[in-house]
Amino acid sequence: MDRITKALGMSLIAAALAAPVWAATPIDEKRPLEADGRVSVNNLAGVIEVSGWDRNEVAISGQLGSDVEKLEISGDARSLVVRVRYPNKLKGGIEESELRLQVPKAAVLALEAVSADVRVNGTRGPLTANSVSGDVEARVDSEVVSLNSVSGDVVLEAPARDAKLQSVSGDIRARGLQGTVEAETVSGDLQLSGRAFRSIAAQSVSGDLVLDLGLDAAAVLRAETLSGEIRARLAQAPDAVVSLKTFSGELSGDYAGASAGIREIEKTVGAGSGRIELNSFSGDIYLGK
């Protein structure tokens, strides 16, 4: 019995000593980067988290999955590329890797993921972030933003003057925007709020569109959904030609002037220098304060 107990104890010790070999690998890397330099990040699974700071360098922390071949860092102080490199042939599922980067606030960001979430906070440079099955969230001061996810949600809080937002089966929520916005989702809902818009194009197939907007005098607002509803609330009376169309839904609101059974309206509000077009096939449309 003593021999068995001793052998069992030695086996447990050996297993404990061997465990770190298979455990996740911690990351602690730093590279110089110009204040407005470019950072490209690629991570297959896990998370990409980026935050801005006031240093001209990039700090990378987190951990690599046990099946990762290496963390590949290339480029120079003008343009840096960070990539989680996997072996050509993987056995079984992919272990998640967590990448956390601190970058100069004005850096240009290009972030790519597959089954990883992407989160960005406190930067002000141009931002592009894409994920296939993860959520994409950005709370930034950037003026140019492009966010895309196939099956995840897209969340943006920014004073962006040029924003492009896309999701297939996820929801889109954006606030604080201005200028020009293009937002599109297939089966998710879309919520958009902001002021001083010049151009808005919002589309959904089966999701609802909820718009809380302030429009410039000559702004163009186009929103379209197939089976969802459109609710557009304006901060002030529009100065536009207003066109509302639905096949089987109802029209209503302060600026609609609709009556029961009316499915199409076109009218001029104010000087009519802008244009508002809201279309839904089977959903209701509201345009008001």
Side-chain angles (χ1 to χ4, degrees):
M1 181 67 67
D2 290 341
R3 290 182 180 179
I4 295 175
T5 303
K6 186 176 180 180
L8 179 60
M10 294 298 292
S11 297
L12 291 173
I13 293 173
L17 292 174
V21 175
W22 303 103
T25 303
I27 305 169
D28 185 11
E29 299 283 349
K30 289 185 178 180
R31 297 290 190 278
L33 188 76
E34 296 177 8
D36 60 348
R38 179 182 177 88
V39 181
S40 300
V41 183
N42 190 299
N43 185 16
L44 191 62
V47 65
I48 299 174
E49 190 172 285
V50 181
S51 59
W53 65 355
D54 294 320
R55 301 183 187 179
N56 287 355
E57 67 176 359
V58 174
I60 311 169
S61 60
Q63 60 184 19
L64 298 175
S66 59
D67 53 358
V68 170
E69 186 176 284
K70 63 178 178 178
L71 179 67
E72 186 176 83
I73 305 174
S74 60
D76 52 28
R78 187 59 195 164
S79 181
L80 199 65
V81 178
V82 179
R83 180 186 296 272
V84 178
R85 181 70 69 180
Y86 287 86
N88 291 331
K89 293 184 178 180
L90 289 171
K91 297 180 180 180
I94 299 174
E95 292 291 330
E96 294 185 350
S97 295
E98 299 178 2
L99 294 185
R100 295 183 175 86
L101 293 87
Q102 292 174 285
V103 304
K105 288 182 178 179
V108 179
L109 298 176
L111 313 176
E112 297 287 339
V114 178
S115 60
D117 294 335
V118 179
R119 297 188 288 268
V120 185
N121 292 278
T123 63
R124 62 173 182 268
L127 166 63
T128 300
N130 301 310
S131 182
V132 176
S133 60
D135 295 336
V136 179
E137 301 180 11
R139 293 170 175 85
V140 295
D141 292 320
S142 304
E143 292 195 354
V144 179
V145 178
S146 176
L147 307 181
N148 178 55
S149 180
V150 176
S151 61
D153 293 340
V154 172
V155 178
L156 175 61
E157 294 181 17
R161 296 180 180 276
D162 183 357
K164 293 180 176 63
L165 311 172
Q166 288 185 318
S167 181
V168 176
S169 59
D171 296 333
I172 296 177
R173 300 186 299 276
R175 66 180 185 179
L177 278 60
Q178 56 189 316
T180 300
V181 177
E182 295 179 17
E184 182 178 353
T185 179
V186 176
S187 60
D189 295 334
L190 191 156
Q191 300 177 23
L192 173 64
S193 66
R195 298 294 182 268
F197 284 107
R198 297 190 314 273
S199 175
I200 301 173
Q203 289 185 321
S204 178
V205 176
S206 60
D208 295 336
L209 306 182
V210 179
L211 313 174
D212 183 4
L213 312 171
L215 301 176
D216 285 349
V220 176
L221 163 60
R222 290 186 172 93
E224 183 176 2
T225 179
L226 184 62
S227 59
E229 297 183 354
I230 300 176
R231 294 187 60 83
R233 298 185 292 264
L234 305 182
Q236 67 280 334
D239 184 5
V241 175
V242 175
S243 174
L244 311 179
K245 295 179 182 179
T246 181
F247 181 75
S248 60
E250 295 183 356
L251 306 178
S252 63
D254 304 287
Y255 309 121
S259 57
I262 299 299
R263 299 287 184 258
E264 182 174 345
I265 292 173
E266 182 156 331
K267 59 185 294 187
T268 299
V269 180
S273 58
R275 186 161 183 85
I276 297 175
E277 296 180 3
L278 308 180
N279 301 315
S280 179
F281 184 77
S282 61
D284 297 338
I285 297 176
Y286 170 89
L287 176 63
K289 300 177 182 178

